[in-house]
Amino acid sequence: MFSCRKPRNIYQYFKQIKSLNSLNSFRSRRKIYSAAVNNAEKFSIGQRLHGYVVEKVQPVPELYLTAVQLQHDITGAQHVHIAREDNNNVFSVGLRTTPMDNTGVPHILEHTTLCGSEHFPCRDPFFKMLTRSLSTFMNAFTASDWTLYPFSTQNAQDFENLLSVYLDAVFFPKLEKLDFLQEGWRLEHKEVNDPNSPIVYKGVVFNEMKGAFTSPEQVYSQHLQNKLYPSHTYSYVSGGEPLAILDLTWEELKQFHADHYHPSNARFYTYGNMRLERHLELINEQVLSKFTKIKPSTAVPDELPWSESRSATVSCAKDVMAPDSEKQTTVSVSYLLNSITDVFESSVLSMLGTLLTSGATSPFYKALLESNIGSDFSPSTGYSGSLKQGSFSVGLQGISKDDVSVVTDIIEKTLDKVIEEGFPQERIDAVLHTVELSMKHQTANFGLGLVVSVLPIWNHDGSAIGAIEINKILATFKECIAKNPKFLQEKLKQYFKDNKHKLTLVMNPKDDFMEEKQKEEEEKLKQMVDTLTDSDRKNIFQIGLELTRKQSEQEDLSSLPTLKISDIDRTGEVTVVSNTTTANIPLQLCEQPTNGVTYFRAVADMRQLSKDLLPYVPIFCNVLTQMGAGKMNFRELSQQIELKTGGLAVHSHVASSVFDMNSVEQGILFSSYCLDKNASDMFALWSDIFNEINLSDEDRLSTLVKMEANELAMGISHSGHAYAMGHASSLLTPSGQISETLFGLRHVKHMKQIAGKQEMTDLVKKLQLIAKQLLNKNSIRYEEGMLS
């Protein structure tokens, strides 16, 4: 055990401050909640507003909001408004987009709608609005069966400006052929200005999806979905399979828009403290009044249940960054579950997924990860409610191909054991605590997160409002558990043991996987090029020149709305903080109405850390809260963290001075939050970690290192641009050099080397030295505390 001195009285300081302010904070929260929902609660069912009819008004006090559900009379468009005292207001429009091939038409359409519209004909109006707006978020997403266009802003005029741009882009895009060729795919000369250079494939989405499918995780997750849901839209790649993208035509893109981008197939969402009436007026005036109702053919049928379980084997590219080149097989067992529109049943299955796989005390963590057969859970492990029917998957990656049957046997035996023995009450309490804390934990993008979480249910005609009535769900869950102690075990038997719709999916690396893909692409290109006439070739050359000219020409942006100085409030919000010390340690205190949650953050200065230890700091951060501490082993510590907090986080921190780029702050950032009633327990856990951290368990350390090394290796294909930027920065600034060691490819390579070692003795010694130098009061400052 390693120990060091650290003051234990910080919680007493927090407690004294809180006792003086708890009553005022309570009154403040009551006032805030009343102000947020007062206007919304005045609406009545059947009331008509700007072409809409109010269908439901539902207070949700646990989230300090009131939800209003409406439907547009003429078009049938659905609208949910969340009234809440939050000035970060959100708008989104979601469309149910259900492709029936692998051409990636919904993905390419999402890109192409952002290339100019009827009233805003400039190229890429979203990007151009960044300098004309105070938006806090702007983007668009394509999922397997929906496309979402959201934004958020704190400024009322900005909201209306962005709303007009978004509505016009979604419902009245230009969809010009050149934009399709740019965003989707095209044949073009490698050197655009040289008609004698080779003709190649180009296109934003085409290249994006080529990159996506270099990731073994992406390949595995896509095959898993396609094979578990084989009969309809989920059997296709909504983002586009690269070679299939080449079959999409401009005419098919326009037809997909006509069929899917219609108000009758749309779900509008608004959130925040701005008035609903104005939102409805603008949406009706700018879009809905120009359409009539249709009956969209976009519904997704349920999968027919299988009479027998199935298995499949697929291939992927070898990962040169994998810690063990001989252990790159992935296997999982997956089950098709219920319709996600049954909100309670989905919530139960989600909690079951957490109980089975989350944390060091979960059955599958102990049975699979601690067996040291593989490096980490397989992709998509856990419960998923993102498609019309939920699913559960569990398995291992980074295993030997000879261990596939070993893993599937462990999965079967673990399920049998849990069905027989059930879950410890502490585990159930920890999951319920996580749900309770998640209701109270506030984030700046709460409104955006809310729509993303409820859209899958709402997209299939489930109740968006029912999905956020968390207290009702929890009350029913607790009642079921009280009436039937084996409630969860029976659900496991029903959905897992007795479920024939089960898929065992194996993925093996193939040495020439990428070469085969490249050969297929070259053969398809040759077939296309060989059939080109002289006229076709001339046309390809001319289109290439025209597209290049269009991309480089100066645009007229006068059609785009912009904020004026008069639209911006001259008095910004001021956050009051108090600076003091406790036990001679700097402490910054910030009192806010945080719904009964205490937030804590501290920084340990590591500028004096030995340079030879710097490469080991990321490992130290990763393992610090996942080893044993005090009298607790790592499982007991994990259990207490889940029961008492929202997690204890440790991260490397590097920041350049705004005045001198050669001046760098290096540190380790500690952060956590918890319910007010658990604050003393949260600080006691930090105290145990600081004073009596156990870094000597080499088996545990080896498991964590292998998991982290595998995760880093898998993430390279997704983050190649970030690694390249980081490496370039390392040649320019001191902070860039340090960041490359802590976060860059240098760190990835270092983790691969350590993960490949048989013994962790040397690593243990280095981590203990880091702890000795950093976990002491001379290095710490308490940077922020947020109290309610």
Side-chain angles (χ1 to χ4, degrees), residues 100 222 271 298 344 360 383 438 540 556 593 757:
M100 295 304 293
Q222 189 64 62
Y271 164 92
T298 58
F344 174 71
Y383 173 78
S438 69
I540 287 171
D556 179 7
K757 293 182 178 180

Side-chain angles (χ1 to χ4, degrees), residues 45-152:
I45 295 174
Q47 182 178 353
R48 296 184 178 277
L49 296 164
H50 302 288
Y52 287 87
V53 177
V54 177
E55 295 184 329
K56 189 174 185 178
V57 179
Q58 182 63 55
V60 186
E62 61 265 35
L63 296 178
Y64 299 92
L65 61 84
T66 288
V68 183
Q69 178 179 308
L70 310 99
Q71 187 170 60
H72 191 254
D73 255 340
I74 297 175
T75 64
Q78 301 177 42
H79 191 120
V80 167
H81 176 69
I82 303 296
R84 196 167 187 261
E85 193 56 37
D86 186 345
N87 64 1
N88 194 31
N89 288 261
V90 178
F91 166 83
S92 74
V93 56
L95 297 308
R96 186 160 62 199
T97 47
T98 50
M100 295 304 293
D101 57 40
N102 289 318
T103 60
V105 57
H107 186 190
I108 296 172
L109 180 57
E110 175 221 312
H111 279 243
T112 314
T113 57
L114 309 184
C115 291
S117 60
E118 184 178 303
H119 291 99
F120 309 107
C122 60
R123 187 176 65 253
D124 198 0
F126 276 35
F127 180 76
K128 303 298 191 303
M129 284 298 294
L130 290 176
T131 57
R132 311 165 76 89
S133 164
L134 292 175
S135 67
T136 53
F137 185 88
M138 287 179 65
N139 213 330
F141 312 124
T142 300
S144 294
D145 56 6
W146 53 259
T147 304
L148 184 70
Y149 296 84
F151 72 77
S152 60

Side-chain angles (χ1 to χ4, degrees), residues 107-205:
H107 186 190
I108 296 172
L109 180 57
E110 175 221 312
H111 279 243
T112 314
T113 57
L114 309 184
C115 291
S117 60
E118 184 178 303
H119 291 99
F120 309 107
C122 60
R123 187 176 65 253
D124 198 0
F126 276 35
F127 180 76
K128 303 298 191 303
M129 284 298 294
L130 290 176
T131 57
R132 311 165 76 89
S133 164
L134 292 175
S135 67
T136 53
F137 185 88
M138 287 179 65
N139 213 330
F141 312 124
T142 300
S144 294
D145 56 6
W146 53 259
T147 304
L148 184 70
Y149 296 84
F151 72 77
S152 60
T153 181
Q154 300 179 9
N155 183 284
Q157 184 58 53
D158 196 33
F159 189 98
E160 295 192 8
N161 291 350
L162 290 170
L163 181 66
S164 63
V165 172
Y166 266 67
L167 292 176
D168 209 52
V170 171
F171 294 101
F172 308 107
K174 292 193 298 178
L175 299 184
E176 293 183 348
K177 187 167 186 177
L178 277 181
D179 295 326
F180 164 71
L181 296 175
Q182 171 184 274
E183 300 299 323
W185 76 277
R186 65 188 182 278
L187 291 173
E188 188 174 277
H189 290 281
K190 190 172 183 178
E191 301 297 331
V192 178
N193 295 311
D194 181 3
N196 297 315
S197 65
I199 293 176
V200 296
Y201 292 128
K202 295 184 182 180
V204 174
V205 172

Side-chain angles (χ1 to χ4, degrees), residues 748-781:
V748 178
K749 294 175 181 177
H750 187 227
M751 286 298 300
K752 178 184 177 181
Q753 292 172 356
I754 295 175
K757 293 182 178 180
Q758 297 299 315
E759 294 186 359
M760 295 286 156
T761 306
D762 184 57
L763 177 61
V764 168
K765 291 178 181 178
K766 285 183 168 57
L767 297 182
Q768 288 176 336
L769 285 172
I770 294 173
K772 185 175 182 179
Q773 293 187 37
L774 297 184
L775 300 186
N776 64 79
K777 70 177 185 179
N778 295 324
S779 299
I780 300 290
R781 75 170 187 268

Side-chain angles (χ1 to χ4, degrees), residues 450-520:
L450 199 62
V451 68
V452 172
S453 67
V454 304
L455 185 59
I457 295 169
W458 191 17
N459 190 48
H460 296 289
D461 303 320
S463 172
I465 296 177
I468 63 175
E469 293 183 280
I470 301 173
N471 277 353
K472 185 183 294 184
I473 295 168
L474 290 180
T476 305
F477 177 79
K478 292 175 182 178
E479 184 181 344
C480 290
I481 294 289
K483 286 182 179 178
N484 178 10
K486 292 193 173 184
F487 174 73
L488 293 177
Q489 290 155 269
E490 291 174 2
K491 290 295 180 184
L492 279 174
K493 187 174 185 300
Q494 173 189 349
Y495 285 105
F496 296 85
K497 189 68 176 176
D498 298 338
N499 187 355
K500 299 295 185 183
H501 202 118
K502 179 175 77 169
L503 173 69
T504 301
L505 181 63
V506 178
M507 183 172 74
N508 293 312
K510 195 174 183 181
D511 289 331
D512 57 351
F513 181 83
M514 296 306 298
E515 289 77 7
E516 284 186 1
K517 292 293 182 184
Q518 183 62 34
K519 185 178 179 181
E520 289 176 11

Side-chain angles (χ1 to χ4, degrees), residues 10-11 14 598 600 678-688:
I10 184 171
Y11 173 65
F14 272 75
T598 295
F600 168 74
N678 293 328
S680 60
D681 296 306
M682 178 178 75
F683 288 114
L685 289 169
W686 277 123
S687 183
D688 283 338

Side-chain angles (χ1 to χ4, degrees), residues 386-411:
S386 60
L387 307 181
K388 188 184 180 185
Q389 289 167 276
S391 64
F392 175 84
S393 181
V394 65
L396 277 180
Q397 57 184 312
I399 69 170
S400 167
K401 62 181 180 180
D402 297 327
D403 286 333
V404 167
S405 61
V406 176
V407 174
T408 55
D409 286 346
I410 291 174
I411 292 171

